[in-house]
Amino acid sequence: GGSLGTSAAATSPSRSGEAGTGLFTNASGKLSIATAGTERIRVTATGMSINQAADPTVALDVTGDIEFSGVITDTSDIRLKTDINPLGSQLSKIAALEPITFRMKDAAQSKHLEYGFSAQQVQTLYPDLVIAANDEMGTLSLNYQGLIAPMAQ
């Protein structure tokens, strides 16, 4: 999360009595929730970011682990799709992917050994599954769910 600094309003509706804890708005219309002077959630017209000091660029942008119970679904109704084409055999492309284990460099995110792929490598085979963030580095994200269909062939 980011420090509230000058982005927080002068007063807080918090009932905790702790300075820098509560619900804040600023002149640009951003809504923030903070605890102990650290912004935890930011809501803008674009979406919501959690545990980061940046405006969201998608509907929900979370930094850190997510724990949930239930099911995550993606709308897949054929009636809502266009430009439908058979994928064909993807065995050689899937075989070319190199699975890796890794830890994130960010200390807050490095507590778990993760299994996955390098977005840079996947991008050479499936460019539509890699998305570049609108940040200084052009950070790449991988649509892991998009790998399910090629693996089914």
Side-chain angles (χ1 to χ4, degrees):
S3 173
L4 285 174
T6 58
S7 68
T11 60
S12 167
S14 172
R15 293 193 177 121
S16 72
E18 182 180 349
T21 296
L23 187 63
F24 301 90
T25 58
N26 67 15
S28 64
K30 296 175 189 170
L31 174 69
S32 297
I33 298 173
T35 58
T38 300
E39 183 178 27
R40 307 293 179 185
I41 300 173
R42 181 181 297 180
V43 181
T44 68
T46 301
M48 177 171 50
S49 61
I50 300 174
N51 289 334
Q52 53 187 304
D55 287 348
T57 57
V58 293
L60 177 62
D61 194 348
V62 179
T63 298
D65 295 343
I66 299 173
E67 186 172 319
F68 71 95
S69 62
V71 178
I72 295 177
T73 62
D74 188 3
T75 302
S76 190
D77 190 316
I78 195 79
R79 297 171 297 175
L80 302 176
K81 298 177 181 186
T82 186
D83 299 327
I84 301 165
N85 296 296
L87 193 54
S89 178
Q90 299 294 300
L91 187 58
S92 63
K93 282 181 159 185
I94 293 298
L97 290 175
E98 183 179 339
I100 57 175
T101 63
F102 59 93
R103 292 186 193 278
M104 298 302 288
K105 289 181 179 180
D106 182 328
Q109 297 179 356
S110 69
K111 56 187 167 188
H112 302 293
L113 181 66
E114 298 185 48
Y115 293 74
F117 298 99
S118 157
Q120 284 82 351
Q121 194 224 1
V122 174
Q123 191 174 39
T124 65
L125 300 166
Y126 296 101
D128 293 334
L129 297 182
V130 178
I131 298 167
N134 188 16
D135 62 10
E136 310 82 50
M137 292 178 26
T139 304
L140 300 180
S141 294
L142 176 57
N143 173 2
Y144 278 94
Q145 185 174 339
L147 288 172
I148 295 171
M151 289 182 183
Q153 284 291 326

